[in-house]
Amino acid sequence: MDNQKNRLTSSEITSLWAQYIQDTMSVCISKYVLVKVKDSEVYSLFEFTLELAEKHLHVLRDIFKAEKLDLPIGFTDKGVNLDAPPLFTDTFWLVYIHEMTMHGLAGYSISLSVSARKDIRDHYYQCNIDAMDLYNKSIEILIWKLEIFILT
């Protein structure tokens, strides 16, 4: 079935729009954290987060372009001061990305369930896999750090 013959539904457009805003925010936060964080595991986690957000944004831009829809404004580098002092500890950022990943998993599942077009469902299926990978990485680091804390 040719997706170009099937217009996006309002729920698909809403989900794609919301994801675009969330992923542009994720890029900005990740870039800030990567400049400030000292812990190598947390750094690696945010590198992965940035890669996923940029990958998702590429797909989203292609969808919006193919559908002749304007891109949402989203967050930009102008909204981030990489020279600002650190706002939070490395531990905070680890917990933050773990919590945000749980929200992402819930959001992607809902977006998948309200999407009719196969290409959009495929996109959210992949987003769920990406979020599960990030979740697994974050929980492993959290458990490892908790074990170290308990043993000291």
Side-chain angles (χ1 to χ4, degrees), residues 1-142:
M1 177 184 272
D2 184 9
N3 285 323
Q4 294 301 81
K5 294 181 182 180
N6 297 322
R7 294 179 57 192
L8 292 172
T9 65
S10 59
S11 60
E12 289 167 338
I13 294 170
T14 300
S15 294
L16 294 166
W17 187 280
Q19 184 190 3
Y20 188 90
I21 300 298
Q22 292 160 357
D23 276 327
T24 57
M25 180 185 75
S26 181
V27 166
C28 292
I29 290 171
S30 295
K31 286 180 178 179
Y32 175 81
V33 173
L34 288 170
V35 169
K36 301 302 175 187
V37 75
K38 303 290 186 240
D39 184 290
S40 62
E41 287 87 9
V42 177
Y43 186 92
S44 174
L45 197 59
F46 273 89
E47 277 185 318
F48 185 61
T49 301
L50 180 58
E51 288 172 21
L52 292 178
E54 288 175 338
K55 178 178 89 168
H56 295 166
L57 286 168
H58 179 75
V59 172
L60 292 169
R61 287 183 186 108
D62 287 348
I63 292 169
F64 281 113
K65 183 178 179 181
E67 296 299 317
K68 296 180 176 58
L69 295 172
D70 291 336
L71 279 177
I73 301 292
F75 292 86
T76 68
D77 289 340
K78 292 178 184 177
V80 180
N81 180 0
L82 297 178
D83 296 323
L87 296 173
F88 302 106
T89 65
D90 292 1
T91 302
F92 170 86
W93 287 118
L94 175 57
V95 173
Y96 168 85
I97 200 62
H98 179 72
E99 292 290 325
M100 292 305 289
T101 301
M102 288 191 289
H103 293 291
L105 283 165
Y108 293 140
S109 294
I110 291 168
S111 295
L112 175 72
S113 69
V114 299
S115 297
R117 270 182 35 176
K118 183 168 180 354
D119 61 330
I120 305 302
R121 286 183 285 120
D122 289 346
H123 168 67
Y124 285 119
Y125 178 84
Q126 183 60 53
C127 288
N128 268 297
I129 291 170
D130 293 342
M132 286 186 286
D133 287 344
L134 184 56
Y135 178 86
N136 282 334
K137 289 176 187 294
S138 68
I139 193 82
E140 288 300 320
I141 296 169
L142 280 166

